[in-house]
Amino acid sequence: MDYQVTLHGSAMEFLNVGVPDAPACLVLDVRLPGPSGLEFQEYLIRVNNQTPVILMTGFGDIPMSVKGMKAGAVDFLTKSIREQDLLDAVATATRMDQDRRKELAHISRMRERYARLTPRERQVMTLVASGFMNKQVASELSISEVTVKMHRGSVMRKLEAKSVATLALIADALDIQK
């Protein structure tokens, strides 16, 4: 399948090497030496490592699998694992990571565009994205409606937003609130 696979004998060994800067996933055995696969999964969550995890075990039970899935595991496979089941899980996990990375890159580009806005444009954007009409924005900021329209047009152009709905989505993605 042309995956680049690296093997690690323990969670600590993996941490010493790190995660590649490419779509990836972790296939963790629940019974790793040192921290278990479940404990390592919890650790990754605590340090905000969002690499998708596939758990596997030869000695799993329902509570164990529920715990792993609730913590965000893509799949929980029991040994002996069918080759196709593992390939399907890895394909799903790497696709999820690829989508996550694309979303992060998109948000990063939006942040760069947002940084180009003037302080007044940011104020106008926040109010417009919150549903304020031009007249309400003008009143709130003590400026003319014509000035609001000018700033609003500049915001739309700089953020490459085609509509107020898109502007609201950008504000939401950047966690900009009134």
Side-chain angles (χ1 to χ4, degrees), residues 57-173:
T57 186
F59 307 98
D61 56 22
I62 292 172
M64 184 186 294
S65 63
V66 168
K67 183 177 181 180
M69 297 303 283
K70 279 187 175 181
V74 174
D75 210 336
F76 193 97
L77 304 171
T78 55
K79 297 176 186 174
S80 66
I81 300 169
R82 285 184 2 162
E83 184 177 324
Q84 191 59 51
D85 291 341
L86 180 59
L87 290 173
D88 291 346
V90 168
T92 299
T94 53
R95 190 171 37 256
M96 288 171 61
D97 198 43
Q98 186 172 30
D99 292 346
R100 179 186 65 82
R101 287 167 177 275
K102 282 181 185 176
E103 180 64 20
L104 288 174
H106 178 66
I107 290 171
S108 177
R109 286 190 304 276
M110 285 191 291
R111 284 192 199 291
E112 289 170 7
R113 290 185 204 133
Y114 180 76
R116 288 186 238 146
L117 298 181
T118 67
R120 179 63 85 186
E121 288 169 342
R122 290 178 187 187
Q123 290 174 317
V124 170
M125 177 198 173
T126 300
L127 294 171
V128 170
S130 296
F132 283 54
M133 305 299 284
N134 288 343
K135 190 176 283 191
Q136 294 169 311
V137 174
S139 174
E140 182 83 14
L141 299 178
S142 300
I143 58 177
S144 74
E145 194 172 344
V146 171
T147 303
V148 170
K149 288 179 182 178
M150 180 192 70
H151 286 307
R152 180 177 165 167
S154 180
V155 167
M156 301 293 275
R157 211 173 20 267
K158 287 179 180 180
L159 294 179
E160 300 177 14
K162 304 275 188 237
S163 68
V164 174
T166 302
L167 190 65
L169 290 172
I170 292 169
D172 186 53

